Amino acid sequence: MDNKDFSAQVMGVIKNNLSEIRKNLLNLDDYVAKKDYDELQQKYDAAQFSLEMFQQQKTQLETTLADKSEKVSALSKEISMLYDKIETIGSELRQVEKQNLALKNSLETSQQQNAQLKSALTDKAEKVSVLAKEISTMYVTLESTDSELRQVEKQNLTLQSSLEKVLPLVEEQTAILEVYVKNYSELENIYAAYKKLSGNTKFALEGIFGAENSPTSFLAGVLQEGHLESLFDYVATSINNGAPSNEIEILCGLFEFAFDAANSGRREKIYARLKISEGDNFDNGEMRKTSNSEQSGKVKEILLVGYKYSRTDKVIRQSLVVIG
């Protein structure tokens, strides 16, 4: 039974009692003593007062009940919201539990992987230790090898220095051999012509080449460094001094042979003849005139063609010409 039903029942009982008292007061058939009447009146007044008090209490209770109802309603809403939050939190909690489970599985996997990596790292460390020992051994071997290499380099430098000293001689001998093999008949002819020179001329040439008693020794003397310049100077001097024409012809042929021989024994030609033609203007840088030439003019006759270095074009000997 709720509060409203209980209040209605109480009000019903009070009203019935009041009606009964009023009826007794109004329907007095017999004479009633004043004392009894007063008692009835007091009961009526008391009942009436009780009724008024009860109605005030009822009003207060109804007001309080209304307030409580509103609070209950608000609390019900809050409780409903709390239930919703609890449900939401429960759902989130389940998600967190799933995530925790996944993290736990991941952690276990990571721990397994870490264990594997730790094992692999231990193996690597052992291998590194072995390699370090091997490297240390290799460094010792390398230092020994490096020392040996320095010794070999010193030996190579010594050999290279010796080779550099010997190489010109080898090249010279190779040149002699090549000229001898390729041009032996020409060598015999030029040597035979050389033998026909006068005693004074041969004596002068022996001062340049040395004593020659065979074509081979003659060729060796011709090809020695510096002999080509000396031979050119002797031929030019002989021409300028008016030596016999037959000897001039042999001397010029001898220089031509020596010039070709000096070039043929090289991978690259060292010397080149100067370019000159009759009728050219006199060039003091590339020409020298004979003693019987005019002071100025053009080239009238070429008696001996000079030569230069092939690479630098530096003139070694000027051409001997007649100016007229």
Side-chain angles (χ1 to χ4, degrees), residues 179 183 186-187 190 218-219 222 253-261:
V179 173
N183 304 302
E186 185 179 355
L187 173 61
I190 199 68
F218 171 75
L219 179 62
V222 168
L254 178 60
F255 177 78
E256 293 295 336
F257 174 81
F259 182 87
D260 293 338

Side-chain angles (χ1 to χ4, degrees), residues 123-160:
D123 293 340
K124 294 293 183 184
E126 292 176 355
K127 290 181 180 179
V128 167
S129 178
V130 173
L131 287 174
K133 291 179 181 179
E134 292 178 356
I135 289 172
S136 178
T137 304
M138 290 175 66
Y139 268 118
V140 174
T141 305
L142 182 61
E143 289 178 356
S144 176
T145 305
D146 188 55
S147 177
E148 294 176 359
L149 180 61
R150 286 193 292 271
Q151 292 296 326
V152 171
E153 287 177 348
K154 289 181 181 179
Q155 294 174 1
N156 285 342
L157 288 175
T158 302
L159 290 173
Q160 185 175 358

